[in-house]
Amino acid sequence: MTRGAMAMNRVQCQPGLSMVESMQQYGAEATCYRPLYRARWPQGFRCPACNERRRSRFRRGAQVYYQCRTCRHQTTLLSGTIFQATKLPLRTWMLAIHLLTSTKTSLAALELMRHLGVNDKAAWRIKHKVMQAMAEREAPRQLSGFVQIDDAYLGGECNGGKPGRGSPNKQAFPIAVETDAMLEPPAHAVIEPVRSFDDESLKDWQRRHLAPDAEVFSDGLHGFRRVADAGHAHTVLETAGERAACVVRGARWVNVLAGQRQTRHQRELPRHWSG
Ligand SMILES: [Zn+2]
């Protein structure tokens, strides 16, 4: 998530604010800065280059600069946000965000132009930037680095010794866990149901949840082999009659999350069941 999206997240944190209330809160230029400052630096200033807290402040023209005491990096409240380099008053942006996010249906750029009193070019640019930041905020988490993937069925793996894969009425979901290079505790996990483990569903899942740099560890499940086709490095944890996930250290976190208790007789499954 970019800083722009993050800042907007918090700026927009009062749902149901009426237009009048919004104008009172953000109507004066100066009052736009405080919520934005809090949104960007909720625990007080942090140097974007080195994370230092101590800074000095100075003015150049109308712009307030913050300079890091340690690395001398200079920044402004707006740099790195969607408001960077804007020539429009912040209150215009705040009103635009209010208008674009408080209606269920998308507000037309021409309407925005009328409400904000800006030209059509500016209205389009504002709409584009705000919608982009919103889309980023809504985007599903993408896992990167080392990612362990396993397949599971809700309720299907552990009951009564029956193989879970392919059973009717079971919800299929890939379990993916991002680890560091030492394969240590999961930083993030994605557990989201898919229609089934067919190629199309898995491809769609990968597109949404795997960052381009992700390197994938999995057992030989047919669909997961396709992650290599999608340009991801893929290490197949080969099985020797037993589920790789049970024995290979690289996959233990997916096991922990899947809560799988597998025995040998549960694993007598076709290798390419999905094909
Ligand atoms: Zn610094």
Side-chain angles (χ1 to χ4, degrees), residues 8-27 32 82-83 90-107 112 115-116 126-127 130-131 134 137:
M8 223 184 65
N9 228 355
R10 300 218 181 82
V11 165
Q12 200 219 328
C13 67
Q14 291 138 302
L17 213 61
S18 75
M19 170 104 79
V20 172
E21 288 167 322
S22 177
M23 286 308 287
Q24 279 166 351
Q25 182 159 354
Y26 298 117
C32 294
I82 61 170
F83 315 113
L90 265 187
R91 63 175 185 276
T92 302
W93 281 95
M94 296 302 167
L95 186 56
I97 290 172
H98 176 78
L99 290 168
L100 287 168
T101 58
S102 63
T103 49
K104 286 270 179 295
T105 51
S106 175
L107 190 73
L112 196 62
H115 283 305
L116 299 180
I126 290 172
K127 181 174 179 181
V130 171
M131 299 315 268
M134 280 169 68
R137 190 183 52 173

Side-chain angles (χ1 to χ4, degrees), residues 230-252:
H232 296 283
H234 184 212
T235 303
V236 176
L237 309 171
E238 284 301 343
T239 61
E242 196 158 349
R243 193 88 187 272
C246 300
V247 291
V248 180
R249 184 169 173 270
R252 68 196 164 107

Side-chain angles (χ1 to χ4, degrees), residues 15-263:
L17 213 61
S18 75
M19 170 104 79
V20 172
E21 288 167 322
S22 177
M23 286 308 287
Q24 279 166 351
Q25 182 159 354
Y26 298 117
E29 190 66 1
T31 58
C32 294
Y33 280 84
R34 188 178 290 278
L36 202 58
Y37 190 97
R38 273 202 309 268
R40 181 159 180 197
W41 295 306
Q43 263 93 49
F45 177 85
R46 289 279 186 174
C47 170
C50 75
N51 221 29
E52 168 65 60
R53 290 179 154 287
R54 293 170 307 144
R55 45 78 171 169
S56 52
R57 241 172 61 123
F58 64 92
R59 239 171 216 285
R60 191 182 294 149
Q63 190 69 265
V64 174
Y65 285 82
Y66 301 93
Q67 178 162 338
C68 172
R69 287 269 172 92
T70 303
C71 75
R72 322 296 294 167
H73 178 82
Q74 294 180 359
T75 190
T76 70
L77 180 58
L78 304 187
S79 65
T81 73
I82 61 170
F83 315 113
Q84 178 169 5
T86 186
K87 295 210 163 41
L88 293 166
L90 265 187
R91 63 175 185 276
T92 302
W93 281 95
M94 296 302 167
L95 186 56
I97 290 172
H98 176 78
L99 290 168
L100 287 168
T101 58
S102 63
T103 49
K104 286 270 179 295
T105 51
S106 175
L107 190 73
L110 289 180
E111 195 136 349
L112 196 62
M113 172 179 111
R114 201 165 52 77
H115 283 305
L116 299 180
V118 297
N119 65 28
D120 57 338
K121 251 193 190 152
W124 276 109
R125 204 169 50 238
I126 290 172
K127 181 174 179 181
H128 174 72
K129 285 199 168 183
V130 171
M131 299 315 268
Q132 200 177 22
M134 280 169 68
E136 266 176 54
R137 190 183 52 173
E138 302 300 330
R141 173 174 293 287
Q142 284 209 325
L143 302 178
S144 61
F146 294 100
V147 177
Q148 301 164 6
I149 301 184
D150 201 358
D151 60 304
Y153 281 86
L154 194 60
E157 285 283 5
C158 311
N159 54 12
K162 271 198 156 185
R165 282 181 180 175
S167 304
N169 306 319
K170 303 292 185 204
Q171 177 63 60
F173 57 97
I175 298 177
V177 177
E178 178 185 310
T179 71
D180 62 16
M182 302 304 292
L183 304 177
E184 279 311 310
H188 303 291
V190 168
I191 303 177
E192 184 196 271
V194 292
R195 190 162 46 83
S196 74
F197 287 115
D198 59 275
D199 284 352
E200 200 187 322
S201 301
L202 286 177
K203 239 183 234 161
D204 177 60
W205 183 92
Q206 288 161 26
R207 191 178 47 74
R208 286 179 299 116
H209 290 302
L210 287 186
D213 75 319
E215 294 194 16
V216 174
F217 295 78
S218 73
D219 74 1
L221 183 58
H222 180 67
F224 291 151
R225 286 180 190 270
R226 293 297 175 85
V227 298
D229 302 345
H232 296 283
H234 184 212
T235 303
V236 176
L237 309 171
E238 284 301 343
T239 61
E242 196 158 349
R243 193 88 187 272
C246 300
V247 291
V248 180
R249 184 169 173 270
R252 68 196 164 107
W253 284 111
V254 282
N255 265 4
V256 170
L257 280 180
Q260 290 171 350
R261 289 175 294 114
Q262 292 156 345
T263 57

